[in-house]
Amino acid sequence: MKSVNSINLLVAGLVSVFLVACNSGGSSQAQNTQSISATVSTEPQSKSTSSLKSTASGVVSNAPDKGNGVWDYSVATDYYYGMQGNGLAPSLRYDLNQLHNSDISYVFADMGNLIGGSIKGNPILESANSSCLPINPDGSAPIDYAAFHYYAMPQLSDEVVSGASSKLGSCVNGNDVTNYYKNVVGIKHVVPQIDFSASFLQQIVTLNNNDKGQAATNAYLVGIADLIANTINNDQNTYGVAIDNEPSINEQFPNDPIGESYEVVFFGEIAKQLQIHNKFLFLFAAPASGNQLYATFSNIVLLPALYDINPNGTDPNPVPLNTYTDEVNSFIKSQLNSPLSNAPLMFVLPASATDSTWSNLQEYNSQSSHKSPILPTGQVNQGECDSKEALAVGSIDNYVLENFLCAANGNCSPQLANVENFLGSSNCTNYVNSGAQTIDYFQQATKSLASVVPANNSSRYFGAILYAWRISEYNDIAGAVGYYNQDGESDLYKLDSLQFPAEVSSNVWSAFDSWTWGNNVVNMKLN
């Protein structure tokens, strides 16, 4: 579900640093790491079947509630500002307070990360100085925190930029996050979202390739699944958990069905343990394994996206609205009428920075490149990159960028000099095609749902999700982070590519608000 769009920056003569920072999806962090000794238990959790129906096939959960939601990537910063007063900006609490009629009953909070390690122990950890990482008296980390991180991290920590927490917040324990969304913001269904790290996926491949092969891999996945399910089941504020299967487990084994079988084992164990407590497993980018598992576990919800659609193939020009409409209508219909299963569906809408379709439009209307335009077919006009927010003294952009760039290159004066150079014409040149295109993919996605759902198997439609909530400064900060090689080497990245717009705009919020409360068949079915 990760995605980004484009400010391209040419860089020279800067120093590399280690970073503890999230990417656009929050799943890839440059980390200071330490090894610990831990083992992953594969013992099943105790079963409690109160208030649930039992059948010959086992415990059956009720269907999930229908409703609309929002995907949140800037969780730590959201919490930091949302807990102040009645909710300051930028925070989801503030945004929802401004939209008193907004029908948001789900939040998918990006706050979990899986990392790899030996099945016998020694998984890789976040930096030990993180306040969110409990440490045993002997200096080791408790087993529950060995492979699964249940907390939200800001884009930059104080270890990277002194005082960053004063603008971005600091690490927040997972239980505090879910309490914030459930009891402070007042969102009924809180669903932590978990990402895969490269080390976690590599661990699966490594175990599969060793002498014990599939048996060892299955045991590892069951152990991690129980760790996740136990954490979610013990958090009284959660409605379930979401897994972003990107890159997918299946993709690690090209042309080999064993990849999908591992997804079935992993997701199936999570679903089984959650179902005991009547909680739900939401799967993104796992249609095959998700549909297969639904025959056994009725607590699975699939999350198909309406933005990773690019019928143009490699053509970088924006997809015409009529083409997008045809593609989305066909996709929604195929999902609703799929013969594979009757699993509930919640469609993910292109509300801000997304991949493919949305990205190409943004790049066409506002490209950034030091060398040449991205689209040689279009007439271009050269201009400077937008630096208004970053040069506003006291803003999040200004404070974080100034201090990050200062700490990295050691040049801390004069005031604003680093930011001015960072976004200056010698470093960042903007090319804009003449005749900017105005294509509202978000509005069309909602129109398509309103027209296609009632005419097909509408019983499978359980709601729509805004993708994704971030702070508006997200991409400028990510641009500074991308300024440097994050592997501790002296080589520099020459070009940094970002996604925009980062935040859900007020226009999108307003349109979603009107759509959810409008007199249309789709949302009447949610009530």
Side-chain angles (χ1 to χ4, degrees):
M1 212 159 194
K2 299 96 183 149
S3 28
V4 212
N5 218 349
S6 253
I7 294 175
N8 295 322
L9 300 168
L10 188 71
V11 189
L14 300 169
V15 213
S16 59
V17 295
F18 282 114
L19 299 178
V20 181
C22 303
N23 73 351
S24 64
S27 67
S28 174
Q29 299 180 342
Q31 304 167 3
N32 292 324
T33 62
Q34 64 172 0
S35 294
I36 64 157
S37 176
T39 57
V40 178
S41 170
T42 57
E43 292 297 317
Q45 301 177 42
S46 60
K47 294 177 172 55
S48 172
T49 58
S50 59
S51 77
L52 297 178
K53 299 181 291 182
S54 293
T55 69
S57 61
V59 180
V60 179
S61 63
N62 300 317
D65 290 344
K66 295 186 175 183
N68 297 312
V70 59
W71 205 277
D72 191 327
Y73 274 135
S74 296
V75 173
T77 305
D78 179 1
Y79 176 92
Y80 177 66
Y81 288 97
M83 288 295 289
Q84 299 183 44
N86 293 320
L88 304 180
S91 69
L92 185 58
R93 184 185 182 190
Y94 176 87
D95 285 350
L96 294 182
N97 283 341
Q98 306 309 303
L99 299 166
H100 300 292
N101 292 326
S102 187
D103 183 26
I104 296 291
S105 58
Y106 280 87
V107 60
F108 296 84
D110 184 69
M111 53 180 277
N113 192 28
L114 286 173
I115 51 179
S118 169
I119 192 157
K120 298 178 181 178
N122 300 323
I124 301 171
L125 286 180
E126 302 275 2
S127 172
N129 56 17
S130 166
S131 61
C132 282
L133 184 62
I135 299 297
N136 289 329
D138 63 358
S140 66
I143 180 174
D144 287 356
Y145 292 83
F148 174 42
H149 297 169
Y150 194 56
Y151 49 74
M153 294 285 286
Q155 275 183 280
L156 293 174
S157 70
D158 285 336
E159 285 74 32
V160 177
V161 172
S162 178
S165 59
S166 68
K167 292 293 184 179
L168 297 174
S170 55
C171 183
V172 189
N173 180 276
N175 295 84
D176 292 333
V177 171
T178 59
N179 179 69
Y180 163 70
Y181 287 119
K182 181 73 176 287
N183 301 312
V184 179
V185 183
I187 299 177
K188 185 176 182 181
H189 304 311
V190 180
V191 182
Q193 181 253 311
I194 297 172
D195 288 312
F196 297 159
S197 68
S199 65
F200 173 71
L201 294 171
Q202 181 57 50
Q203 182 64 28
I204 297 172
V205 174
T206 300
L207 288 171
N208 176 78
N209 293 340
N210 74 10
D211 292 339
K212 295 182 180 180
Q214 190 170 358
T217 309
N218 285 338
Y220 176 76
L221 290 172
V222 168
I224 300 297
D226 287 342
L227 194 61
I228 294 169
N230 184 61
T231 302
I232 299 302
N233 285 334
N234 287 333
D235 187 338
Q236 63 182 356
N237 293 313
T238 66
Y239 192 66
V241 69
I243 302 290
D244 186 355
N245 189 36
E246 291 181 309
S248 72
I249 295 174
N250 190 25
E251 290 172 350
Q252 310 310 305
F253 303 91
N255 304 315
D256 188 340
I258 199 170
E260 186 175 325
S261 75
Y262 286 146
E263 289 188 7
V264 169
V265 168
F266 184 50
F267 301 147
E269 180 66 15
I270 297 174
K272 182 179 79 172
Q273 299 297 346
L274 292 179
Q275 189 166 257
I276 295 169
H277 297 264
N278 204 25
K279 294 192 178 187
F280 298 88
L281 174 60
F282 299 80
L283 292 175
F284 184 88
S289 53
N291 279 310
Q292 180 179 338
L293 285 165
Y294 186 73
T296 306
F297 304 109
S298 59
N299 62 333
I300 286 176
V301 182
L302 303 182
L303 308 176
L306 300 185
Y307 56 80
D308 279 333
I309 296 172
N310 187 17
N312 285 358
T314 57
D315 182 357
N317 284 284
V319 176
L321 187 60
N322 61 339
T323 303
Y324 175 79
T325 301
D326 291 342
E327 293 285 332
V328 167
N329 287 349
S330 176
F331 179 73
I332 295 172
K333 183 177 179 179
S334 70
Q335 293 292 302
L336 293 169
N337 300 329
S338 171
L340 298 176
S341 82
N342 202 38
L345 301 170
M346 296 182 74
F347 290 91
V348 187
L349 304 175
S352 68
T354 59
D355 202 6
S356 300
T357 301
W358 179 278
S359 300
N360 290 344
L361 174 64
Q362 303 302 326
E363 289 171 354
Y364 181 90
N365 287 341
S366 184
Q367 310 164 50
S368 298
S369 173
H370 187 80
K371 296 180 179 178
S372 62
I374 298 172
L375 301 179
T377 57
Q379 180 66 38
V380 296
N381 301 296
Q382 184 173 338
E384 293 184 1
C385 292
D386 183 8
S387 60
K388 181 178 180 181
E389 283 294 322
L391 293 178
V393 177
S395 70
I396 295 176
D397 258 355
N398 174 251
Y399 182 89
V400 175
L401 282 178
E402 176 67 23
N403 283 278
F404 178 84
L405 297 171
C406 162
N409 66 15
N411 178 18
C412 299
S413 61
Q415 181 77 1
L416 300 181
N418 286 307
V419 179
E420 289 174 334
N421 292 334
F422 178 67
L423 295 174
S425 58
S426 62
N427 197 51
C428 182
T429 304
N430 188 36
Y431 292 90
V432 182
N433 285 287
S434 60
Q437 298 189 27
T438 303
I439 304 176
D440 195 335
Y441 295 118
F442 171 79
Q443 184 181 54
Q444 183 54 54
T446 58
K447 285 182 177 179
S448 292
L449 287 174
S451 63
V452 177
V453 170
N456 292 276
N457 185 9
S458 59
S459 64
R460 295 192 65 189
Y461 178 75
F462 276 68
I465 304 168
L466 289 176
Y467 182 82
W469 193 91
R470 299 178 178 93
I471 61 172
S472 61
E473 297 81 7
Y474 191 96
N475 292 326
D476 281 345
I477 296 170
V481 171
Y483 224 47
Y484 303 92
N485 182 297
Q486 298 179 31
D487 298 322
E489 301 174 1
S490 59
D491 295 336
L492 302 174
Y493 290 127
K494 297 299 182 184
L495 203 62
D496 183 47
S497 182
L498 305 179
Q499 297 276 357
F500 56 81
E503 76 277 21
V504 177
S505 70
S506 58
N507 289 339
V508 168
W509 273 121
S510 179
F512 187 68
D513 191 43
S514 299
W515 179 72
T516 56
W517 288 92
N519 185 22
N520 65 72
V521 177
V522 172
N523 286 291
M524 289 174 64
K525 288 181 177 292
L526 299 183
N527 299 322

